[in-house]
Amino acid sequence: MAVSEQTQLQHLAWRAGFGESLPVINSWAKKRRKEVVRKLILGPEAAALDPVKVIDETDLPDYQRQRNMGAEERRAVQRMNTDGIKDLNVMWTHSMINNPHPLREKMALFWHGHFACRTQNVLYNQQLLQVIRQHGLSNFGDLLREVSKTPAMLAFLNNQQNRKQKPNENFAREVMELFTMGRGNYTETDVKEAARAFTGWGFDEVGQFKFRKNFHDEGNKTLLGKTGKFDGDDVIAILLEQKQTAKYITAKIYRYFVNEEVNEAHVNKLADKFYQSNYDLRALMQEIFLADWFYEEKNIGCKIKSPVELLVGLRKSIPMQFEQEEAMLVFQRVMGQVLFYPPNVAGWPGGRSWIDSSSLMFRMRVPQIILYSQEFNIRPKEITPEMGEGSNYKMTMQVNEFLKKQYARKVNAKVDWDPYLKDFKDTPREQLADQIAQSLLLKNSSINKQLLEKYSDSSTRENYIKTVTIDVMSTPEYQLC
Amino acid sequence: MQVNRRRFLQVGSLASASLMLPKFLKAMEQGNLVPPGNKVLVVVQLSGGNDGLNTVIPYRNDIYYKMRPTLGIKREQALALNDELGIHPALKSFKALYDDGALGILNSVGYPNPDRSHFRSMDIWQSASDSKDYWGTGWLGRYLDAQCKGCDKPTQALEIDDTLSMALKGDAVKGLALTDPQRLFGASNDRYFKELLDKQKHDDEHQNVGYLYKTMAETISSAAYIQQQFKTYKSKESYPTTELGRNMKTIAELIMTDINTSVYYVSHGSFDTHVGQQQQQQRLFEQLSDALQVFTTDLKKNDRFKDVLVMTFSEFGRRVGQNASGGTDHGTANNMFLIGGGLQQKGVLNEGPDLGNLQEGDLQYKVDFKNVYATLLKKWLGADDQAILRKQYEHLSFI
């Protein structure tokens, strides 16, 4: 069965962002696909990258002095970090909802899972977020170099402890295993040699990358067949020379943006081009979004939305403001994806792992909870506290306290239905249900009409649209994009 | 009489529920009653890294008291098990179970290259991966994958919680989380969802849309099945009103029915005792001890104790030395409790920790926890442990 043009464009909107409203899709339909894709990739000219920022470098306490801080001061720093990371989550989510260049946020969300990292420090989180938002759609080499030099990553992967006399291999190993080549494509010796090259990479107390010469191993290293007095930048250059890196990254992008089931032929072709372009991410994404196979039925609506995609998509469809925006964290937690708290260095496994009995039933109730202002009656699991000892773990405990407190609270949202209602102003009454389902779903977009009728409130046209919308959003199909 | 009534309820509920179900689930509804005496595993997760040294106390060891001048449990307070080891005074029922021959203690359990991060280490324990690997599925989830492909009722593993832990997530099959069978039933018994299931076209369950419908159908049908079973038995014991007490009561009541569940999973915590450990651990242990006391009594009275095995674990132990805040920081090896009427080997199963041979202030592990999993999977649950753990681990002889 041929896929309708509307569905194809909705598919594009979901993969290159978080879905778009009917009028936007209709406006795309009037243009050539190439032009639409180009716009999606470049973003509107006026869309400069607004940093997601909750703290300034100058707001930081003097960490050198932290040792001598009194209890009160220490608590203040902790509060600053906990609240800061919550705010960062909320602000980034808002940017995903409202940003005129959604692909950039979508890429950042992808990289947030790829370069998975946990740190208690709000500034470090903010810096890393800025790096993946800034470079996530430009050049993978730049992105990798920048990410590898963030205090967040260096701290998380223990490179601060990587010294000539006593190398710590954690950072080198994950850079090879998770960030570039994937397991099985290098040897343990390669890891050891790369770790020696990364010695001395660290950061200072104001959160800036710092090469600490005294810790660096100046000797010769042999890595992936090359020998020299390599430093960290050399290692990254060598890893980028490996075609395997292009393959690994392309396959991961394909699984995220196209289909979890990889088509080898498509990926190989894309990877070749990606490698030849010297890791141009824009060109790669353009290639994908312009490919005919991207619009084949089997690639449409085949992915399970991540919790963040589900929430952002819902809020993008229907503008709303939460009385307490931090409620987003509770939704994220119950469904299994809290921004800045990936489960481990490998990130969220995604796909069907988002779904179990309780998460599915909750996901199907999310639209009702929000749009009918119902209570949370699910107690989220605690987030396991961050590594690091002493008082640091308290921060995560504070987040847990917060999550716990939301139990049995109503989610008060100020919902602005008007723009959504307007999208359907010209739709005849008898076509409303179909139109709504089609605009919200990519798979099985013909939800049984009798059923929608039966559960709708048809006292007014407005109520009818609202209730049908909520019911369509409460389906398994809505979980897919 | 009891049995007949139960069977009646079962048939009655199946008849009405099946009208709502799509075809591919009809097969599930030919109620297979589980033969009595099926083995049950109850996993109690002590979240936060319980301090094993103050749990099973080396109460004649000078190093212990030297390194824990204020935090060490006094020799006369420890509930003596043998000449070397005593149990925390708050764990009274554990001592009674020990005297009863229903408790096994494994010391120095851990894994190579231990990770001191709560979340990473919990990951390792729940997935049963090596510390260098990242697996997205849990050991009990993979048990479900192995046992339950095309299972009659996907209720073989239940977590008593609102959300599901990774331990119970398999590739194809996942456990089910619930705090209260009644509430789960209420939540899934939504008319709109049921009709959606009934009326909405959804093809192939290999595709995600089919998978979602299948999960929804299974949830609704499982919720009804659990609720139906749950109604058939009410415990006569009075459980403590703590969260763990309530959860253990739910587990006991389900065990006492004919439900096909073989694994229950429940968490207790938090044991993250960097500061003021004494009080926090005392309180949590009292709750644990009280809940387990009633639970085991309940099982014994119903002649099910021999079929049930409780296993406790924590993601790591604490450091040997106490810290300046009257607490302990993240450590490595730890002990595990095995409780049940069917233990082959009882009491202290191996030597206590060697405090004279620490590695940078930490205990060294002697038993890999995967050996325990392998033993439970193979000898207790009758499963293919090698396939589930993706490696052959030696079996222990406690069962």
Side-chain angles (χ1 to χ4, degrees):
Chain A
M1 205 177 73
V3 182
S4 76
E5 171 151 32
Q6 186 190 331
T7 304
Q8 291 185 31
L9 291 173
Q10 282 178 200
H11 167 58
L12 176 64
W14 261 105
R15 298 303 173 86
F18 303 90
E20 291 292 349
S21 65
L22 262 187
V24 172
I25 298 292
N26 290 338
S27 75
W28 287 0
K30 297 191 185 98
K31 296 180 188 153
R32 282 181 311 134
R33 174 165 295 159
K34 209 166 172 177
E35 200 187 329
V36 175
V37 169
R38 211 177 136 260
K39 263 272 158 56
L40 275 175
I41 283 173
L42 293 174
E45 271 158 51
L49 178 69
D50 265 338
V52 171
K53 199 167 176 185
V54 300
I55 189 171
D56 275 313
E57 270 84 347
T58 50
D59 297 337
L60 277 186
D62 181 351
Y63 282 105
Q64 272 180 323
R65 236 170 28 79
Q66 200 164 18
R67 216 173 290 226
N68 309 317
M69 272 183 197
E72 191 56 40
E73 242 181 315
R74 222 179 263 271
R75 263 197 296 278
V77 171
Q78 237 173 50
R79 212 166 22 242
M80 180 193 78
N81 280 312
T82 323
D83 292 348
I85 296 172
K86 252 191 271 175
D87 293 346
L88 213 53
N89 184 326
V90 168
M91 279 190 70
W92 187 20
T93 313
H94 277 204
S95 187
M96 291 184 213
I97 299 165
N98 302 314
N99 199 307
H101 192 182
L103 178 58
R104 196 156 55 192
E105 300 296 352
K106 188 67 173 266
M107 294 301 294
L109 185 59
F110 168 73
W111 296 118
H112 186 57
H114 183 77
F115 295 113
C117 177
R118 275 202 200 185
T119 160
Q120 312 261 340
N121 184 305
V122 58
L123 178 69
Y124 297 174
N125 272 315
Q126 181 178 294
Q127 290 168 334
L128 179 56
L129 177 60
Q130 180 61 13
V131 167
I132 58 176
R133 289 178 75 240
Q134 194 173 346
H135 296 283
L137 188 54
S138 54
N139 180 282
F140 176 71
D142 294 344
L143 175 67
L144 176 65
R145 268 184 287 270
E146 293 283 328
V147 166
S148 305
K149 287 184 176 174
T150 56
M153 204 53 90
L154 290 164
F156 183 55
L157 299 177
N158 311 107
N159 211 64
Q160 195 77 334
Q161 288 96 46
N162 188 12
R163 295 158 190 212
K164 183 179 173 179
Q165 294 76 12
K166 209 180 160 196
N168 183 312
E169 292 166 13
N170 202 14
F171 184 80
R173 183 181 303 279
E174 303 311 1
V175 167
M176 297 168 88
E177 174 179 336
L178 298 165
F179 299 170
T180 56
M181 297 176 73
R183 269 182 97 174
N185 297 297
Y186 50 86
T187 65
E188 278 300 301
T189 316
D190 290 328
V191 173
K192 284 201 165 63
E193 296 287 288
R196 287 178 57 217
F198 280 120
T199 49
W201 274 31
F203 52 92
D204 61 20
E205 58 281 354
V206 288
Q208 290 301 314
F209 174 79
K210 200 174 176 185
F211 179 65
R212 298 169 303 170
K213 206 170 179 313
N214 293 341
F215 295 160
H216 183 65
D217 182 339
E218 303 275 1
N220 265 331
K221 296 112 191 165
T222 301
L223 177 75
L224 296 161
K226 293 201 158 185
T227 304
K229 294 189 188 329
F230 299 141
D231 62 14
D233 284 311
D234 298 325
V235 174
I236 288 178
I238 292 171
L239 291 174
L240 289 167
E241 274 170 28
Q242 306 291 315
K243 213 163 174 191
Q244 173 58 27
T245 297
K247 265 194 191 161
Y248 183 75
I249 298 297
T250 307
K252 194 158 178 185
I253 284 181
Y254 184 95
R255 282 197 299 272
Y256 191 87
F257 287 90
V258 184
N259 198 323
E260 295 221 320
E261 267 179 58
V262 169
N263 178 315
E264 294 284 342
H266 293 160
V267 168
N268 288 339
K269 222 172 126 192
L270 289 170
D272 281 345
K273 284 201 177 172
F274 187 41
Y275 186 73
Q276 277 153 26
S277 75
N278 191 28
Y279 294 95
D280 183 344
L281 287 162
R282 266 205 186 103
L284 175 65
M285 298 319 290
Q286 178 156 314
E287 190 79 23
I288 291 174
F289 295 144
L290 284 179
D292 285 337
W293 47 253
F294 177 74
Y295 298 92
E296 281 170 11
E297 197 181 354
K298 65 167 184 271
N299 292 328
I300 295 179
C302 63
K303 293 204 40 143
I304 295 173
K305 290 173 188 167
S306 75
V308 170
E309 286 172 315
L310 181 75
L311 287 165
V312 169
L314 172 70
R315 296 186 64 172
K316 212 175 145 95
S317 290
I318 301 166
M320 62 182 82
Q321 254 180 327
F322 288 177
E323 196 178 83
Q324 271 198 307
E325 279 294 333
E326 300 99 55
M328 291 297 279
L329 269 81
V330 193
F331 282 107
Q332 291 173 10
R333 183 60 193 154
V334 171
M335 294 189 280
Q337 185 186 32
V338 186
L339 296 172
F340 304 104
Y341 290 93
N344 57 49
V345 291
W348 293 275
R352 290 189 179 182
S353 82
W354 296 126
I355 300 297
D356 61 66
S357 299
S358 55
S359 69
L360 177 62
M361 296 317 270
F362 181 76
R363 287 171 74 126
M364 297 205 301
R365 286 191 44 241
V366 164
Q368 303 167 21
I369 295 174
I370 296 176
L371 297 165
Y372 294 142
S373 269
Q374 292 179 350
E375 287 165 3
F376 266 115
N377 65 349
I378 290 202
R379 214 179 293 267
K381 266 198 179 33
E382 292 193 343
I383 295 176
T384 14
E386 181 51 62
M387 61 174 63
E389 304 186 2
S391 60
N392 262 352
Y393 85 104
K394 276 191 191 154
M395 234 190 87
T396 314
M397 302 309 267
Q398 283 168 15
V399 173
N400 284 332
E401 275 308 303
F402 165 79
L403 292 177
K404 233 186 266 173
K405 271 195 220 132
Q406 300 299 314
Y407 181 73
R409 280 221 183 147
K410 277 198 174 150
V411 182
N412 287 321
K414 221 169 77 195
V415 181
D416 179 10
W417 281 97
D418 288 348
Y420 181 79
L421 293 170
K422 230 167 87 193
D423 292 352
F424 296 97
K425 69 177 188 319
D426 299 327
T427 312
R429 173 67 172 75
E430 64 276 12
Q431 284 172 27
L432 267 177
D434 280 339
Q435 276 283 353
I436 290 169
Q438 261 167 45
S439 74
L440 293 173
L441 306 178
L442 287 159
K443 203 93 193 167
N444 290 6
S445 55
S446 55
I447 290 285
N448 186 293
K449 214 168 151 185
Q450 264 180 308
L451 188 65
L452 293 177
E453 272 324 315
K454 181 172 167 188
Y455 284 89
S456 66
D457 170 357
S458 37
S459 57
T460 64
R461 183 180 160 93
E462 237 179 59
N463 283 349
Y464 180 78
I465 295 178
K466 288 181 188 174
T467 48
V468 167
T469 298
I470 293 170
D471 285 340
V472 169
M473 285 176 161
S474 308
T475 57
E477 283 85 347
Y478 189 68
Q479 312 306 315
L480 299 165
C481 69
Chain B
M1 266 314 275
Q2 179 77 358
V3 171
N4 285 340
R5 185 174 145 67
R6 246 185 269 168
R7 278 176 201 276
F8 169 75
L9 283 173
Q10 200 133 17
V11 172
S13 76
L14 293 173
S16 60
S18 66
L19 294 174
M20 298 301 191
L21 291 172
K23 271 189 217 95
F24 64 79
L25 277 173
K26 288 259 157 71
M28 266 178 41
E29 297 303 316
Q30 286 139 21
N32 263 1
L33 287 182
V34 180
N38 63 319
K39 298 288 185 246
V40 172
L41 172 67
V42 180
V43 178
V44 180
Q45 172 179 306
L46 305 179
S47 309
N50 173 42
D51 177 15
L53 273 179
N54 273 17
T55 307
V56 180
I57 304 146
Y59 72 120
R60 288 196 196 277
N61 194 315
D62 293 340
I63 306 175
Y64 170 74
Y65 289 106
K66 203 180 288 171
M67 294 183 81
R68 298 188 162 197
T70 56
L71 201 57
I73 306 286
K74 295 203 179 63
R75 188 174 293 192
E76 58 278 14
Q77 281 177 353
L79 311 172
L81 302 176
N82 57 28
D83 288 348
E84 308 266 311
L85 300 172
I87 210 160
H88 191 285
L91 288 172
K92 288 192 184 66
S93 72
F94 283 60
K95 160 74 169 141
L97 287 163
Y98 175 87
D99 293 337
D100 224 22
L103 179 80
I105 298 170
L106 264 177
N107 290 297
S108 309
V109 190
Y111 56 90
N113 305 311
D115 197 304
R116 281 191 183 73
S117 141
H118 288 286
F119 77 96
R120 179 60 193 138
S121 190
M122 193 53 98
D123 233 31
I124 292 167
W125 274 85
Q126 293 202 3
S127 67
S129 74
D130 283 339
S131 52
K132 63 177 193 311
D133 292 334
Y134 297 91
W135 293 357
T137 57
W139 70 289
L140 294 167
R142 293 193 305 276
Y143 160 76
L144 294 174
D145 280 341
Q147 302 295 109
C148 300
K149 281 231 170 79
C151 253
D152 269 7
K153 291 185 175 51
T155 45
Q156 271 77 356
L158 302 180
E159 176 162 8
I160 311 302
D161 203 317
D162 274 338
T163 57
L164 195 69
S165 294
M166 194 246 263
L168 286 88
K169 290 187 184 175
D171 271 321
V173 188
K174 292 179 179 69
L176 197 147
L178 72 152
T179 39
D180 174 2
Q182 189 65 47
R183 219 182 82 202
L184 174 74
F185 179 65
S188 70
N189 196 22
D190 179 299
R191 272 171 50 223
Y192 175 66
F193 289 159
K194 280 189 173 172
E195 270 196 67
L196 195 59
L197 203 55
D198 208 29
K199 299 242 171 71
Q200 185 58 15
K201 272 187 293 181
H202 44 86
D203 25 356
D204 198 356
E205 62 179 275
H206 296 294
Q207 285 193 0
N208 277 335
V209 66
Y211 171 74
L212 294 174
Y213 270 99
K214 178 168 171 276
T215 305
M216 176 164 87
E218 282 178 355
T219 308
I220 292 174
S221 127
S222 298
Y225 171 63
I226 294 168
Q227 148 82 354
Q228 213 47 249
Q229 294 296 329
F230 193 66
K231 280 201 293 204
T232 61
Y233 181 84
K234 283 286 155 277
S235 174
K236 294 180 192 70
E237 304 299 314
S238 54
Y239 281 79
T241 53
T242 58
E243 197 181 335
L244 185 68
R246 273 192 298 275
N247 291 340
M248 293 314 291
K249 183 176 188 220
T250 304
I251 294 175
E253 293 188 330
L254 285 167
I255 289 175
M256 253 70 95
T257 70
D258 283 338
I259 196 164
N260 67 351
T261 306
S262 49
V263 178
Y264 296 89
Y265 197 94
V266 68
S267 298
H268 182 51
S270 164
F271 284 91
D272 201 16
T273 50
H274 291 279
V275 183
Q277 172 169 308
Q278 213 121 53
Q279 220 188 342
Q280 197 176 340
Q281 204 186 28
Q282 171 89 19
R283 180 176 55 85
L284 290 170
F285 275 172
E286 275 166 12
Q287 293 176 359
L288 179 66
S289 178
D290 293 350
L292 265 291
Q293 196 210 318
V294 184
F295 178 71
T296 48
T297 308
D298 205 356
L299 291 174
K300 279 181 207 164
K301 284 188 183 166
N302 286 277
D303 195 26
R304 293 304 304 275
F305 193 42
K306 61 182 188 314
D307 304 320
V308 177
L309 202 147
V310 180
M311 175 200 104
T312 72
F313 82 98
S314 200
E315 69 266 37
F316 44 64
R318 319 288 298 187
R319 311 214 79 187
V320 179
Q322 69 181 61
N323 64 21
S325 340
T328 49
D329 295 316
H330 301 181
T332 52
N334 207 346
N335 35 46
M336 291 175 84
F337 288 116
L338 300 154
I339 297 169
L343 291 177
Q344 294 293 320
Q345 237 183 350
K346 298 144 199 189
V348 182
L349 303 180
N350 60 350
E351 250 180 291
D354 183 355
L355 298 186
N357 188 12
L358 301 180
Q359 190 168 30
E360 294 172 31
D362 267 316
L363 299 174
Q364 304 203 44
Y365 89 99
K366 299 270 172 54
V367 181
D368 191 322
F369 71 90
K370 273 109 62 196
N371 292 120
V372 182
Y373 289 1
T375 311
L376 293 168
L377 287 168
K378 180 79 183 176
K379 294 195 191 173
W380 194 252
L381 298 172
D384 182 351
D385 58 311
Q386 185 176 356
I388 293 165
L389 300 174
R390 300 174 182 171
K391 199 173 154 183
Q392 185 64 66
Y393 292 95
E394 207 182 310
H395 297 137
L396 307 176
S397 45
F398 60 87
I399 40 174

